[in-house]
Amino acid sequence: RTYRALAATRRIGDGLRRGEAALRRAVRGAALQAHYRVQLRLPLRPRDAVFAAQGGGGYAGSPAAIEAKARDLVPGLRTTWICDPRHAHTVPPATRTLTPGTFAYGSALARSTYLVNDAAFDRRLVKRRGQVLLQTHRGTPLRTVGTDLLDRPAAARDTDFEQVLRDVDKWDFALSANPHSTLVRERAYPSAYTTLEYGSPRNDVYHRAGPADLARLRETLGIPADATALLYAPAPRDYRRVQRPALDLERLIRVLGPQFVILDRAPRTRSGNHSHTTRPGIIDVTGHPSLETLALASDALITDYASLMFDYVNLDRPLVLHLDDIEAYEAARGTYFDITSFPPGVVARSQDELFDIFATDHWRGSRSAQLRAAFRARFCPYDDGNAAERVVRRVFLGETDGLPLPVPPSARRAVLPAQQNPAGARVAQG
C-alpha cells in the first residue's frame, strides 16, 4: 500500500511538472509572438542583414559567402547569423549570432532590411514592405524539387506545399547557378521573384584557396600529408525510412590500400541525426558544417545523386558516381535529366564495378577528365570566384550596371590539387 501510494504521488508530481513546463512554453510562445508583433510596427533598420543556412546550421554555403562579401563591400552593414548555439563557433567574430526562439531573433526578423537564406525562414515570418529576401538555394538541382514533388509521395512525404508556396511568395530574389537551375526552379517554385543567374557564391572559395589553405584544411581533418583522400558524400534515399550505407567503405579501403583515406559524409536523416563510428582509414565527417572545406581537402569525390557534383567539378578533380539503385531512386524521387548519359565522371552501376574503377586507375584517367570538363562547361558558366560580389552589388548596393562579368573558363585561375602529387599513389589490387 505504501509503494502504491508513493507511485501514485510520483505520477501526480510528474504530471504537474509536465503541465507546468507546457504552461511555461505556452506563455513564452505568446510573449514571443506579442513581442514580434510589436517589432513589426517599428521602423526597419536599413543597415541590418540576417543570414541563415541549412535550417539554422553553421556558417557555410552561399549565405556565408555572401555575408562575408557584404561586410567587405557595404559600408556600415551589420550582419547577424541565425544558428543553433552548438554551431556558433563557426560564425566569424564580426557577425552576431542569433538563437531561434529568442526575443532578439524576433526583433531581427521583424526589423532587418535584408534576409538571406538557402532554406525557408520561420513560417510565421511577416514580409514587410521594404524588406528584401534573397533565396540562395543549395546548388544545382538534379533531384526533383519544389512543386515537382506533388506526384512523388515517397519523396514529398509530409511536405506542406501550400506553405512552400507562401514562402516562395516572400522571395524578392532567387539565386541561380546556371540556365538549367533557372528553368527548373522557376517552374518548381512559381512566383514573381527575380532570378539572379550569377553563379554559386559558395564555390568562390574554390578559385581563391592557396596551397597553405589546403594544407591547413587537410591537417585539421587529420588527413596524412602523403595520403590520397576520397570524399564519399551520397544523397539520402527518400524511399528508405532508415538510411543504410550503399557502399562497403571497409572493403573499399582494403582495395585502395594504406595510402588512401576516406572522408565519410553519411546522409543526414530528416531529424538531422547521424551516427558516428571510428574505422581504420575512414574519417567520419558527417557532422562537419562545411561541404566546401571537405571538397577542398579531398583529392576525389564519390557520390551518386547529390548536388555536390555540380560544385565539385570546379576543382577539376576526379569524380566517380556510384549508381547501384538508380531505377529505385528514379521511381521514388526522380531526376531532371539522365545523369548516366551526361555524367561528371566515371559511372559505376555496382559496388564491384566501383572497386574495379579504382583498381585499374580509371577514376583519374583521360576519360574522367573529358567528362568533367564537359560537365563543368555546361553547369558552371558563372563560377569564376566572383559570384558573391555580383550578388552583393545587385541586392545590397542596388547596382544593375557594371557588375563583374563572368570570366571565361579558359581565363580562370587554375585550381590547385589537394596534394602536390595526387597521381603518385597506386591503388592496391585485391
Side-chain angles (χ1 to χ4, degrees):
R1 285 196 297 272
T2 302
Y3 174 81
R4 287 194 294 272
L6 290 172
T9 301
R10 181 173 181 175
R11 287 194 297 272
I12 293 171
D14 289 344
L16 290 174
R17 281 189 290 273
R18 286 194 297 271
E20 182 182 358
L23 179 61
R24 284 199 301 268
R25 288 194 298 270
V27 170
R28 178 175 173 80
L32 286 169
Q33 189 63 19
H35 171 77
Y36 179 64
R37 293 292 177 184
V38 171
Q39 293 297 309
L40 288 174
R41 297 179 179 276
L42 299 177
L44 287 175
R45 295 166 177 156
R47 292 297 179 185
D48 282 14
V50 174
F51 297 80
Q54 303 172 358
Y59 189 82
S62 288
I66 295 169
E67 191 274 342
K69 184 58 67 174
R71 278 190 284 110
D72 288 342
L73 297 180
V74 184
L77 186 69
R78 294 177 297 188
T79 60
T80 301
W81 190 272
I82 297 173
C83 66
D84 187 277
R86 60 194 170 130
H87 299 305
H89 68 281
T90 66
V91 181
T95 303
R96 187 173 63 130
T97 58
L98 270 183
T99 301
T102 61
F103 289 97
Y105 169 80
S107 298
L109 289 183
R111 302 190 62 188
S112 296
T113 296
Y114 302 99
L115 307 172
V116 182
N117 206 334
D118 65 2
F121 278 104
D122 193 308
R123 62 182 180 82
R124 293 165 294 186
L125 172 71
V126 177
K127 176 74 180 309
R128 299 178 61 180
R129 183 186 299 274
Q131 282 188 315
V132 178
L133 198 158
L134 168 63
Q135 170 59 239
T136 70
H137 296 295
R138 301 180 192 174
T140 295
L142 171 66
R143 301 175 287 168
T144 307
V145 297
T147 57
D148 288 344
L149 290 171
L150 276 167
D151 59 350
R152 295 186 178 274
R157 294 195 181 180
D158 54 354
T159 300
D160 184 344
F161 288 101
E162 291 185 359
Q163 182 62 48
V164 170
L165 293 176
R166 284 193 292 270
D167 290 336
V168 172
D169 282 340
K170 299 172 185 176
W171 300 354
D172 293 287
F173 299 100
L175 194 55
S176 175
N178 45 58
H180 163 77
S181 298
T182 300
L183 292 173
V184 166
R185 289 199 169 109
E186 286 187 348
R187 183 186 68 246
Y189 300 105
S191 193
Y193 56 84
T194 299
T195 297
L196 304 179
E197 199 172 285
Y198 288 169
S200 292
R202 68 181 187 176
N203 294 340
D204 287 355
V205 66
Y206 297 152
H207 301 272
R208 300 180 184 277
D213 299 313
L214 301 188
R216 176 180 52 81
L217 294 177
R218 288 170 69 88
E219 182 180 1
T220 301
L221 292 169
I223 302 172
D226 58 346
T228 298
L230 305 180
L231 173 59
Y232 177 55
R237 300 306 194 261
D238 297 296
Y239 61 89
R240 292 177 182 164
R241 291 190 177 276
V242 178
Q243 300 297 316
R244 300 192 303 272
L247 189 59
D248 186 343
L249 296 183
E250 287 87 351
R251 185 181 167 196
L252 176 59
I253 203 67
R254 290 196 299 269
V255 170
L256 294 171
Q259 69 273 34
F260 281 78
V261 296
I262 297 174
L263 305 177
D264 179 19
R265 188 176 178 85
R268 294 172 182 261
T269 63
R270 287 179 179 258
S271 63
N273 298 324
H274 61 272
S275 61
H276 178 87
T277 57
T278 302
R279 295 160 288 178
I282 301 172
I283 303 173
D284 191 326
V285 294
T286 302
H288 198 283
S290 173
L291 264 178
E292 295 78 43
T293 294
L294 300 178
L296 276 168
S298 66
D299 298 288
L301 171 67
I302 303 174
T303 187
D304 38 41
Y305 317 101
S307 63
L308 176 60
M309 72 177 77
F310 296 92
D311 304 326
Y312 197 85
V313 292
N314 281 285
L315 291 169
D316 196 23
R317 298 174 190 170
L319 195 154
V320 178
L321 296 185
H322 179 225
L323 308 178
D324 65 332
D325 64 342
I326 189 168
E327 291 81 9
Y329 194 89
E330 285 281 2
R333 180 63 183 251
T335 59
Y336 287 112
F337 64 92
D338 182 4
I339 191 63
T340 62
S341 64
F342 194 78
V346 184
V347 176
R349 296 297 299 269
S350 69
Q351 186 166 257
D352 289 338
E353 189 175 345
L354 183 136
F355 294 159
D356 288 341
I357 287 171
F358 280 96
T360 58
D361 245 14
H362 287 338
W363 63 286
R364 54 188 171 193
S366 59
R367 177 60 176 162
S368 175
Q370 292 169 1
L371 290 171
R372 68 175 176 269
F375 200 84
R376 184 170 61 250
R378 177 178 175 183
F379 293 108
C380 307
Y382 312 112
D383 286 344
D384 57 358
N386 299 313
E389 181 174 349
R390 285 190 282 269
V391 173
V392 170
R393 291 191 179 281
R394 176 66 177 87
V395 175
F396 291 83
L397 298 176
E399 298 178 7
T400 55
D401 298 322
L403 300 180
L405 296 175
V407 178
S410 59
R412 292 176 189 173
R413 171 181 176 268
V415 179
L416 296 171
Q419 55 173 317
Q420 293 302 312
N421 186 23
R426 298 288 296 180
V427 178
Q429 302 290 323

